[in-house]
Amino acid sequence: GQNIDQPTEMTATEGAIVQINCTYQTSGFNGLFWYQQHAGEAPTFLSYNVLDGLEEKGRFSSFLSRSKGYSYLLLKELQMKDSASYLCAHMDSNYQLIWGAGTKLIIKP
Amino acid sequence: IAGITQAPTSQILAAGRRMTLRCTQDMRHNAMYWYRQDLGLGLRLIHYSNTAGTTGKGEVPDGYSVSRANTDDFPLTLASAVPSQTSVYFCASSEVAGEPYNEQFFGPGTRLTVL
């Protein structure tokens, strides 16, 4: 079967670093996506990993280990506007996205 | 450029009524998707369309139907609404289907309450 897990909620301090983990189980894999979703809004694309390693994009980085079925999203220099839910999704063998329930990130001053 | 638009923004519907959620994109994307999002659950795929004229069933298709008469429009119909269909519905599109890197762009969502 297919399963994807991420923490329900995390809290971090403005200016700090936070790592949001995601684990998945799948019989077919075509990449791992991270999306950001502010409350009441649509998800927006953050990153895509298909090979092992770290992809850096400004303050955000995403890591993938295919052998471990593991990814994380690293957010640096946290800002209040980073308060949002972060959705992890893997692309299965049919090229459809299987989504985690999302991690609500709360940033405190 | 509007991207993806959805209508209505929100709707309260009596159980048993028929309802069509509208979705239009102006990016000339081939693939379109309908998801529902419920608290504590991930986005779940209802139906998808890889190209105009074709549709497919996702993870939770029961009680829903779609059509794709042209590239831009992908309406979702609830033939006879039930309270378990209370949810936020997102329409999304991607340039192509069936390829590994395939960023999906989302509409603003429709909040549907079935009483």
Side-chain angles (χ1 to χ4, degrees):
Chain A
Q2 302 191 89
N3 195 21
I4 185 162
D5 293 307
Q6 51 183 131
T8 301
E9 187 176 295
M10 298 181 69
T11 302
T13 304
E14 189 177 16
I17 299 173
V18 70
Q19 177 175 311
I20 303 173
N21 296 325
C22 172
T23 58
Y24 63 90
Q25 297 173 338
T26 179
S27 56
F29 181 79
N30 280 301
L32 193 293
F33 290 78
W34 284 96
Y35 279 74
Q36 181 190 60
Q37 185 178 24
H38 285 100
E41 297 184 7
T44 55
F45 171 80
L46 285 178
S47 68
Y48 170 74
N49 295 67
V50 68
L51 300 176
D52 290 352
L54 189 68
E55 294 279 343
E56 297 186 76
K57 190 185 296 184
R59 294 189 299 115
F60 292 9
S61 302
S62 56
F63 172 84
L64 175 67
S65 169
R66 289 172 295 172
S67 63
K68 296 182 179 178
Y70 169 67
S71 174
Y72 67 72
L73 181 69
L74 192 71
L75 291 75
K76 303 176 184 177
E77 302 170 14
L78 285 170
Q79 303 175 8
M80 297 304 294
K81 68 178 182 179
D82 297 330
S83 292
S85 288
Y86 291 86
L87 313 181
C88 175
H90 74 75
M91 179 170 276
D92 69 10
S93 56
N94 294 317
Y95 301 100
Q96 299 293 355
L97 291 179
I98 309 300
W99 297 82
T103 298
K104 182 178 181 180
L105 178 63
I106 300 167
I107 310 296
K108 295 186 175 181
Chain B
I1 296 176
I4 300 182
T5 58
Q6 292 184 235
T9 302
S10 65
Q11 182 75 44
I12 298 174
L13 188 66
R17 297 296 296 269
R18 180 184 179 89
M19 176 74 191
T20 295
L21 308 185
R22 299 185 297 278
C23 174
T24 300
Q25 54 104 359
D26 63 2
M27 297 177 283
R28 307 303 293 173
H29 283 175
N30 283 310
M32 297 187 74
Y33 314 85
W34 273 106
Y35 293 96
R36 59 178 290 173
Q37 187 174 42
D38 302 291
L39 194 64
L41 299 176
L43 289 161
R44 291 183 291 170
L45 184 65
I46 304 170
H47 285 286
Y48 64 93
S49 170
N50 288 338
T51 189
T54 69
T55 62
K57 294 182 179 180
E59 179 186 356
V60 289
D62 294 343
Y64 305 95
S65 63
V66 292
S67 61
R68 186 89 184 276
N70 56 60
T71 297
D72 298 344
D73 301 300
F74 191 43
L76 177 74
T77 297
L78 290 68
S80 178
V82 295
S84 62
Q85 292 178 311
T86 294
S87 187
V88 180
Y89 290 86
F90 286 102
C91 179
S93 72
S94 62
E95 189 170 350
V96 295
E99 292 186 2
Y101 176 70
N102 202 11
E103 178 185 346
Q104 293 185 12
F105 296 82
F106 285 79
T110 293
R111 184 174 296 274
L112 181 67
T113 302
V114 183
L115 301 176

